[in-house]
Amino acid sequence: MKLLMIEDNKSVSEMMQMFFKKEDWDAHFAYDGIQAVKMFKETPNDWDMITLDLNLPGMDGMQVSAEIRKLSPTVPIIMLTARDSESDQVLGLEMGADDYVTKPFSPITLIARIKALDRRAKLGSNKAATDDAAASTAPVTEAEESAEDNRFEVTTDNFRLNSKTREAYLNGEQIKDLTPKEFDLLKTLATKPRQVFSREQLLQLVWDYEYYGDERTVDAHIKKLRQKIEKVGPQIIQTVWGVGYKFDDTGAGK
């Protein structure tokens, strides 16, 4: 793995360098935002993982994330910050981060989160490659292609979801601007309506974190997902206090 750690605290970088070396990862370091963007621009397709501190000199982490996303919409980004408020988490996710780890953090925990995010990124890439290969060897008619594109895995009286087109509709209106993680979260919940999922279960199912997850990552994504749902209709993601979240659209009809 070729990893870029953007971190202005050299003590933290030096500590993580030992752990990266143990994993046999090709780790590079940038100590301010301007340097980080310059390094990434030189070889934007070569990086497998970015860890990004929020508080950076020169250019802050939010700006760096936005610049990286202009060049690569898919490179995994884990944002590291001493801030722990929900609004900062949501903002970091909005700016393109895939995950959020608050300082102080355990190096072992960060390594586990990096491995989990890398594993999911590779699974997605391999699936896309397999689908492309299948498509190239098995020609389909326009009618078949259209039927496949229009197939909804989840269909209720009020809600529809299509994994191939990555689209979700509530009362006939599309829930727009869903990030990959928001879509995966919505799909996980909607596939089993009214079943309650704990935060730990959602971390494992959506982020692939079994033991090292930060539950606030789930809460931040749920908050943004709800905001986007409410733009088109009633709230269908319900909180079950003390347990977790569930999908329930039984009262969502117009």
Side-chain angles (χ1 to χ4, degrees):
M1 182 191 302
K2 185 174 181 180
L3 179 148
L4 175 60
M5 185 171 201
I6 308 168
E7 168 63 62
D8 66 326
N9 188 323
K10 293 190 177 183
S11 296
V12 172
S13 296
E14 290 171 0
M15 173 186 67
M16 290 309 306
Q17 168 72 336
M18 294 186 292
F19 286 87
F20 294 153
K21 186 175 182 180
K22 186 177 180 181
E23 297 293 335
D24 199 26
W25 293 344
D26 181 17
H28 300 253
F29 298 87
Y31 302 103
D32 65 69
I34 295 174
Q35 179 192 15
V37 171
K38 181 179 179 181
M39 288 177 65
F40 189 83
K41 282 183 175 180
E42 288 176 353
T43 54
N45 298 318
D46 290 352
W47 302 100
D48 300 306
M49 182 71 57
I50 307 291
T51 68
L52 173 61
D53 187 28
L54 187 59
N55 296 311
L56 293 168
M59 181 185 294
D60 68 29
M62 299 296 185
Q63 293 173 299
V64 173
S65 180
E67 290 299 314
I68 288 175
R69 279 288 171 251
K70 290 178 184 177
L71 297 166
S72 173
T74 58
V75 63
I77 299 176
I78 297 179
M79 191 166 281
L80 310 176
T81 177
R83 302 179 189 177
D84 59 2
S85 73
E86 185 175 316
S87 60
D88 284 326
Q89 293 178 38
V90 171
L91 184 56
L93 297 169
E94 283 184 326
M95 296 303 291
D98 297 285
D99 197 3
Y100 194 105
V101 178
T102 56
K103 295 180 178 179
F105 58 83
S106 160
I108 295 175
T109 296
L110 179 58
I111 292 293
R113 300 282 279 269
I114 291 172
K115 287 181 177 179
L117 186 55
D118 180 60
R119 187 161 55 246
R120 289 191 68 84
K122 287 178 178 177
L123 283 173
S125 177
N126 290 339
K127 184 179 184 302
T130 301
D131 290 345
D132 288 344
S136 65
T137 57
V140 296
T141 66
E142 287 187 14
E144 289 173 329
E145 188 175 71
S146 178
E148 177 65 20
D149 286 346
N150 292 325
R151 185 172 65 86
F152 292 93
E153 290 90 336
V154 180
T155 303
T156 71
D157 290 341
N158 309 305
F159 180 82
R160 294 179 300 162
L161 181 143
N162 185 321
S163 292
K164 186 175 179 64
T165 61
R166 306 287 288 185
E167 293 175 341
Y169 296 83
L170 179 61
N171 292 326
E173 291 191 55
Q174 185 177 355
I175 304 171
K176 295 182 179 180
D177 302 322
L178 292 174
T179 67
K181 280 292 183 290
E182 289 166 359
F183 183 89
D184 292 342
L185 183 57
L186 179 58
K187 180 183 177 182
T188 299
L189 292 167
T191 300
K192 297 184 178 179
R194 304 183 70 181
Q195 175 176 320
V196 181
F197 291 84
S198 69
R199 292 171 177 82
E200 291 86 355
Q201 287 175 315
L202 291 172
L203 281 168
Q204 183 176 358
L205 292 168
V206 180
W207 284 266
D208 200 18
Y209 303 155
E210 188 168 2
Y211 301 108
Y212 302 100
D214 185 341
E215 293 182 2
R216 290 171 295 185
T217 299
V218 175
D219 293 337
H221 277 80
I222 288 286
K223 180 177 180 179
K224 289 304 301 175
L225 177 57
R226 282 174 164 168
Q227 289 173 351
K228 293 176 182 179
I229 290 171
E230 288 172 351
K231 291 180 179 179
V232 301
Q235 189 52 250
I236 54 178
I237 304 299
Q238 309 295 332
T239 299
V240 180
W241 296 107
V243 184
Y245 300 100
K246 69 177 180 178
F247 173 93
D248 187 353
D249 72 329
T250 53
K254 290 184 177 178

